[in-house]
Amino acid sequence: MFTRKWRAGILALITVFMLSACTSRGGGSSTPAALDEPKTPTTADEPGWKADTEPITFDWYLNFSWFPNKWGADATSQYVTKKTGVNINFIVPAGNENEKLNTMIASGKLPDFITLGWGEDAVKKMIEGKMVLPLNKLAEKYDPYFMKVSDPAKVSWYQQPDGNIYGYPNASSSPQDYKKYGQNFVSNQTFMVRKDIYEALGKPDMRTPDGFLKALQDAKEKFPEVNGQPLIPLGLHEFTDTGNYSLKDYLLNFLAVPYEKDGQLNDRMTDPEYIGWLKTLRKANEMGLLAKDIFIDKRPQMEEKIAQGRYFAMLYQRSDMGNQQISRYVNDPDSVYIAVDGPANSKLDPPTLAGPGISGWTLTLISKDVKDKERAIEFLTYLISEEGNRDLYMGEEGVTWDMVDGKETFKPEVLDLLNKDRTAFDKKYGASFTFWMLMDTNMNLKWAPPSVEPAKQPEDWTKGKTHSFSQYDNTNPTGTSEEGIANSKIDQAWGRTLPKLLLASSDSEFDQLFAEFLKDRDEAGYDKVKAYQAKAFAENQKKIEAFAQ
């Protein structure tokens, strides 16, 4: 139930929408493109998409080179197109995502929809460059139903200084969501080991540097090959020009390094526990335990090696290996990857893993060049609604699911394929958020079947270790401001430094390299970045407090 204060907040937010929309009619400078008169009458009580289901195809850019699926090839996307009239042409970069997106931004023209990580620098570039449309103004003009189905907390979180919201998140959880669903929340951040090898080694304790190194060494010595190919003792996320997910927030969270101290943001990267574990990884390389593959492989190569079972241990996002896990489980349940206690701080405190936050995972924006503004906001509104989420999670009734005892339930053959071959499931049925661009991971809890192995064990392991870190989101400056440019330089400096730290020949060389990074960080303008972060953190805290009422 919403409190009276919460309801008042919703009304206030809608009022802001109305005022912003009035500004748009005058074609003010904050409006990137004029809005035509609506083709169909608008009402807040009925979804706008129902008034026009004529065929239309939108180009939709996904800033994820690994995305493999095509719209219209499966039962669910075919159903959505039949229902709404909307077809989608996905555009996926073949190589470096940021290069592709920056090239499109530089050209001044974008596809109809754009989905990318919420923290990407390109988000601010597109907003500042007036290359994307305010969703609130589109909604007021063409589909007020958006205001009925959008989450006020998420809208307020992404409201820009001009009063507009340009992107809507997926997989987002507000403080209110934590109160309602928190006991079910899990984290994607896991330390995984290959079950059969781990058990053959006697289930070693890998929380300490010594235990960690010994386990990697024993695995390499006792299991030098996997099906004729060398074992890779440790796997990580891919190295990019700004670093490595595994070796920043993931490792920091496993070490329970605090985000703040005495009410101020903590410089987590200089924490002694973190430095100590980076030196442990340097030692691992000196011992021949870091394969060269991990420095050069991208996600497709990593997925292939996970499917082959070539890694012993991985500091990795469990959901990124879901398909490969299912394949391994079907072939040999003992060869899957399981979550275990991984690197810990010197006190062996439990990890503080990131759960779902209000920022979500991705943002979806509508380009100023969109071919039909009215149909675009109507389709986005449909996708964020309960109806749209159910359609993309469950598919079409009678085709992929039936109502059983009052609950939407996947047909037995559909659920069986989902649990045995996710890739084949995606291609045939396309449900269970195969198309995740605007998925609501709280809403889907009412439809989701119980987790089964091999996904269940890693999920369960994270329960009780999962925390909300929403207040620390959106605190890094982006865009072309002084602090945004400084932060970009710092990230790139870290991306260059991190591999060198791991490949250093000694701890003294490591110390020298790290000191040079800190010097580069200061020269790039770290003081400006810190000032921005402190201000953003304070603003986030105010928003969080307002939501929590």
Side-chain angles (χ1 to χ4, degrees):
M1 293 291 292
F2 289 126
T3 65
R4 183 178 303 165
K5 196 168 184 180
W6 182 254
R7 285 196 297 269
I10 296 175
L11 293 174
L13 187 60
I14 290 176
T15 300
V16 170
F17 277 171
M18 300 292 189
L19 293 173
S20 297
C22 292
T23 304
S24 75
R25 295 192 184 103
S29 61
S30 64
T31 307
L35 301 183
D36 302 322
E37 287 303 311
K39 299 189 292 289
T40 55
T42 60
T43 170
D45 298 319
E46 186 73 13
W49 67 265
K50 291 186 176 182
D52 185 356
T53 57
E54 289 298 309
I56 187 172
T57 298
F58 285 116
D59 293 325
W60 195 315
Y61 175 76
L62 294 175
N63 199 42
F64 301 91
S65 61
W66 48 263
F67 185 77
N69 300 301
K70 303 293 183 184
W71 188 271
D74 59 273
T76 294
S77 60
Q78 290 169 6
Y79 166 60
V80 171
T81 295
K82 178 178 67 175
K83 180 176 183 175
T84 66
V86 176
N87 183 44
I88 296 173
N89 171 43
F90 284 122
I91 301 170
V92 180
N96 184 288
E97 290 96 343
N98 290 333
E99 287 182 5
K100 172 69 173 179
L101 187 52
N102 285 332
T103 298
M104 288 196 303
I105 291 173
S107 75
K109 188 170 179 60
L110 296 172
D112 302 308
F113 288 85
I114 308 98
T115 295
L116 71 168
W118 64 261
E120 298 290 338
D121 189 62
V123 173
K124 194 164 186 178
K125 287 181 180 177
M126 289 187 288
I127 294 173
E128 290 179 342
K130 303 188 187 307
M131 301 183 71
V132 288
L133 297 172
L135 301 184
N136 52 301
K137 293 185 178 181
L138 290 174
E140 169 62 19
K141 189 80 170 181
Y142 301 119
D143 193 6
Y145 195 71
F146 172 89
M147 299 169 189
K148 186 173 183 177
V149 298
S150 58
D151 186 320
K154 298 169 187 176
V155 170
S156 178
W157 186 256
Y158 277 108
Q159 192 175 38
Q160 298 298 308
D162 64 3
N164 295 321
I165 170 178
Y166 294 87
Y168 200 85
N170 75 349
S172 167
S173 292
S174 70
Q176 292 296 111
D177 293 326
Y178 264 82
K179 290 180 180 179
K180 188 174 182 179
Y181 308 107
Q183 70 275 13
N184 297 312
F185 284 166
V186 294
S187 177
N188 270 332
Q189 298 178 345
T190 47
F191 180 68
M192 309 282 279
V193 292
R194 187 168 147 168
K195 182 175 184 289
D196 48 3
I197 298 178
Y198 181 71
E199 292 177 348
L201 297 178
K203 300 182 179 180
D205 185 346
M206 301 181 70
R207 293 177 298 169
T208 67
D210 289 345
F212 181 84
L213 292 172
K214 186 176 188 306
L216 296 186
Q217 187 173 37
D218 288 349
K220 182 178 181 181
E221 290 176 355
K222 296 179 181 179
F223 301 91
E225 291 189 344
V226 175
N227 297 327
Q229 296 179 303
L231 177 82
I232 302 173
L234 179 66
L236 305 166
H237 279 278
E238 67 181 70
F239 282 81
T240 69
D241 58 356
T242 59
N244 187 302
Y245 291 145
S246 299
L247 299 183
K248 197 169 185 186
D249 288 341
Y250 284 31
L251 180 56
L252 286 162
N253 290 348
F254 264 84
L255 302 180
V257 176
Y259 279 83
E260 61 179 281
K261 289 183 177 180
D262 301 321
Q264 303 295 318
L265 288 177
N266 180 32
D267 183 7
R268 300 175 86 205
M269 291 183 67
T270 58
D271 188 276
E273 302 276 6
Y274 179 61
I275 300 300
W277 268 95
L278 288 182
K279 286 185 175 181
T280 297
L281 294 173
R282 186 212 67 78
K283 182 67 174 178
N285 183 67
E286 185 180 287
M287 297 169 64
L289 301 175
L290 296 187
K292 67 177 184 301
D293 309 51
I294 69 172
F295 293 99
I296 57 176
D297 282 350
K298 299 302 180 184
R299 180 162 167 170
Q301 290 78 39
M302 296 175 66
E303 288 180 346
E304 181 180 359
K305 289 169 182 174
I306 294 169
Q308 295 167 345
R310 289 186 59 192
Y311 299 101
F312 163 55
M314 301 189 77
L315 187 57
Y316 202 70
Q317 181 162 269
R318 59 178 177 80
S319 60
D320 281 7
M321 57 197 298
N323 294 359
Q324 295 75 36
Q325 281 273 75
I326 292 172
S327 298
R328 296 204 62 76
Y329 187 80
V330 170
N331 292 328
D332 180 4
D334 287 331
S335 74
V336 298
Y337 290 89
I338 59 172
V340 300
D341 293 339
N345 62 33
S346 56
K347 297 179 181 178
L348 299 183
D349 292 325
T352 53
L353 306 178
I358 194 167
S359 294
W361 169 31
T362 70
L363 274 182
T364 293
L365 307 94
I366 296 176
S367 164
K368 67 176 177 60
D369 302 308
V370 65
K371 59 176 60 74
D372 190 319
K373 301 180 184 69
E374 188 168 351
R375 294 291 297 278
I377 189 62
E378 289 171 350
F379 189 59
L380 185 144
T381 299
Y382 159 74
L383 291 175
I384 69 174
S385 71
E386 182 167 334
E387 181 178 8
N389 266 267
R390 188 178 77 167
D391 288 348
L392 284 176
Y393 189 82
M394 296 301 301
E396 182 177 8
E397 184 175 9
V399 176
T400 51
W401 65 275
D402 294 313
M403 192 68 76
V404 179
D405 297 328
K407 175 178 169 57
E408 297 91 337
T409 305
F410 281 125
K411 288 176 172 288
E413 66 273 19
V414 175
L415 183 59
D416 184 64
L417 187 60
L418 173 63
N419 289 332
K420 288 184 177 178
D421 191 337
R422 178 70 206 219
T423 301
F425 172 91
D426 288 349
K427 290 180 179 178
K428 184 173 183 178
Y429 297 117
S432 190
F433 289 145
T434 296
F435 304 102
W436 37 256
M437 300 86 71
L438 287 160
M439 65 180 178
D440 188 318
T441 47
N442 300 316
M443 202 179 285
N444 90 293
L445 293 172
K446 68 182 74 174
W447 311 305
S451 292
V452 297
E453 300 301 352
K456 187 176 186 304
Q457 189 276 338
E459 281 183 13
D460 288 346
W461 182 86
T462 69
K463 290 180 178 178
K465 307 178 183 73
T466 300
H467 303 264
S468 172
F469 296 130
S470 292
Q471 63 269 39
Y472 310 113
D473 287 349
N474 279 333
T475 55
N476 286 327
T478 58
T480 57
S481 64
E482 280 190 58
E483 59 268 22
I485 293 171
N487 192 61
S488 179
K489 289 180 178 179
I490 291 169
D491 284 345
Q492 290 169 1
W494 179 246
R496 294 190 299 270
T497 302
L498 180 59
K500 295 177 183 178
L501 294 175
L502 304 187
L503 298 171
S505 59
S506 64
D507 281 352
S508 60
E509 184 184 354
F510 178 105
D511 291 338
Q512 179 183 348
L513 290 166
F514 195 78
E516 290 174 359
F517 163 72
L518 294 180
K519 181 182 177 183
D520 291 341
R521 187 175 72 163
D522 287 340
E523 291 177 351
Y526 184 51
D527 57 337
K528 295 184 178 67
V529 173
K530 285 194 297 183
Y532 178 96
Q533 291 173 331
K535 182 180 179 182
F537 175 48
E539 292 172 352
N540 283 354
Q541 287 180 307
K542 291 179 182 177
K543 289 182 180 180
I544 295 292
E545 289 170 4
F547 299 155
Q549 299 300 317

